[in-house]
Amino acid sequence: MKKIVIFASGSGTNAENIIRHFKNTKSATVVAVFSNSEKAKVLDRAEKLEVPSVVFSKEALSSDSVLGKLISFQPDLIVLAGFLLKFPQNIIEAYSDKIINIHPALLPKYGGKGMYGMNVHRAIVENKESETGITIHFVNENYDEGNIIFQKSIALSGTETPEEVASKIHELEQEHFPEVIEKLLTQNA
């Protein structure tokens, strides 16, 4: 069975969805949730779903201590699900092409430092985009520039608020993120 480690910084709705998805399969399991915030709601979700969690400081992320803890779980895939820090080079090198992220826009548009969550949705509304969507991509040393694995778009009417766009994007994430992860893991079996 393949092993997944999730990195998350916030509420953890995508993390919970992924954990629940893989509890019902024989292909993979989420073995740990890593978070840079001891107050992140994702930690409560992980505990309720009986998934161990690891909390670390921003400073510790690029140290060998986080890498060492990660290695102890022997992940086949690392999934960033609402993880807001730049991923460190030492982990990227150790897990080349085994780290993926989900972005709430159609990259390369609206990517880069500071472009996450409501920042992205506000920019899309302000620029009167006719569509938006999600991008699942590999993680490299630059924000949102790794090779694209999957994109799904939705049309916008031009009357949506940033909150309404966020809701539509969340639905896409919930529907497609676990499926793409499962497909990636079975392709590499």
Side-chain angles (χ1 to χ4, degrees), residues 38-172:
E38 61 187 25
K39 295 178 182 173
K41 287 187 173 62
V42 70
L43 300 172
D44 297 332
R45 293 177 192 270
E47 183 179 5
K48 284 178 186 162
L49 293 167
E50 301 176 344
V51 174
S53 58
V54 175
V55 179
F56 56 89
S57 68
K58 181 179 180 180
E59 297 74 32
L61 178 59
S62 56
S63 74
D64 287 338
S65 70
V66 172
L67 177 58
K69 289 175 185 169
L70 185 58
I71 288 169
S72 73
F73 286 100
Q74 301 177 327
D76 296 288
L77 189 67
I78 298 167
V79 176
L80 309 187
F83 186 68
L84 300 181
L85 299 179
K86 191 166 195 286
F87 222 60
Q89 193 62 36
N90 64 334
I91 298 176
I92 292 170
E93 287 172 6
Y95 290 94
S96 178
D97 293 328
K98 292 187 179 192
I99 308 168
I100 66 170
N101 185 34
I102 191 163
H103 188 75
L106 298 171
L107 292 175
K109 284 184 162 186
Y110 304 105
K113 187 173 182 172
M115 293 306 287
Y116 59 88
M118 289 306 291
N119 295 345
V120 172
H121 307 313
R122 276 192 284 279
I124 286 167
V125 169
E126 287 169 9
N127 289 314
K128 299 180 182 2
E129 293 288 350
S130 61
E131 70 173 1
T132 189
I134 60 170
T135 303
I136 299 170
H137 63 92
F138 285 106
V139 173
N140 66 14
E141 64 278 358
N142 300 314
Y143 284 112
D144 303 323
E145 291 183 14
N147 290 334
I148 292 172
I149 301 163
F150 174 86
Q151 288 187 309
K152 181 71 176 176
S153 64
I154 54 166
L156 297 175
S157 67
T159 62
E160 292 91 352
T161 65
E163 291 77 16
E164 289 168 331
V165 172
S167 178
K168 290 179 179 188
I169 292 301
H170 187 67
E171 287 177 25
L172 287 179

